[in-house]
Amino acid sequence: MTAAASQRAAEMRAEFDRIFADESRVETALYCDVVIVEAGAQLCAIRLSELSGIVAGKTIVPVPGASVALRGVAGIRGAILPVYDLAVLIGRPPAASPRWLAVAASASLALSFDRFERQLRIEESCFLASAPQSAHRGGVVRSDAYSGPVLDLGAILKDIDQPSQERPFS
């Protein structure tokens, strides 16, 4: 190798190392994984960290005398779980025959919804605070991939435990 080639190789190595050592290039953005679902003709985001899974095509067995929100029970991963209609819980008309179930991570129950739209990774800076009248919203997202409400699954689960007459969402 000639002296000029050796010098050029050394310069290229130094440039390569400098680029990766540059702190301004270090990615500092935080992201949140969400699933976008449709419940009662409303697209909503649910933080993936609040779910233990999403399943499709489960048979929901109605429970006599149950509230409008309680669709029935379903067998999921070897357990019998109550299934609540997410549309009703957020103040929308009940779904005719939901195909999808979101299994809550913090409680032994599932939420039924009409359609699974997609899963997204959204930068945390795109999450904005929610309007105070929206009890079930955990904020809103404004991004290129999705703009709309983010559900507060904790508030929804609390409402299941202590139902209220008013379900402000829309």
Side-chain angles (χ1 to χ4, degrees):
M1 183 181 279
T2 67
S6 279
Q7 178 63 27
R8 178 68 183 133
E11 289 170 0
M12 290 174 67
R13 276 193 300 275
E15 177 65 16
F16 180 84
D17 291 343
R18 186 192 60 75
I19 288 171
F20 284 97
D22 185 2
E23 287 185 33
S24 67
R25 290 189 42 105
V26 175
E27 189 172 310
T28 58
L30 298 176
Y31 292 90
C32 179
D33 292 317
V34 298
V35 290
I36 310 300
V37 302
E38 183 180 329
Q42 169 76 49
L43 284 180
C44 309
I46 302 173
R47 292 176 187 268
L48 202 55
S49 62
E50 296 181 316
L51 301 175
S52 67
I54 294 180
V55 295
K58 294 289 184 178
T59 300
I60 300 171
V61 179
V63 177
S67 69
V68 176
L70 180 61
R71 293 197 72 93
V73 295
I76 302 171
R77 297 184 195 128
I80 305 295
L81 299 180
V83 177
Y84 290 87
D85 191 324
L86 181 58
V88 172
L89 293 172
I90 63 172
R92 309 291 273 187
S97 55
R99 179 174 185 266
W100 295 91
L101 300 176
V103 182
S106 64
S108 296
L109 63 83
L111 302 170
S112 65
F113 58 93
D114 303 311
R115 185 170 58 96
F116 174 79
E117 177 73 19
R118 65 189 179 270
Q119 178 180 338
L120 295 171
R121 175 165 284 175
I122 298 176
E123 198 171 318
E124 283 286 348
S125 64
C126 295
F127 287 78
L128 309 170
S130 178
Q133 77 274 11
S134 304
H136 295 138
R137 284 191 186 175
V140 293
V141 171
R142 298 279 184 246
S143 76
D144 293 338
Y146 169 77
S147 289
V150 179
L151 297 180
D152 180 350
L153 210 54
I156 291 171
L157 297 176
K158 185 177 176 183
D159 196 41
I160 289 171
D161 287 341
Q162 301 171 350
S164 65
Q165 297 296 328
E166 193 175 325
R167 300 188 194 281
F169 182 74
S170 308

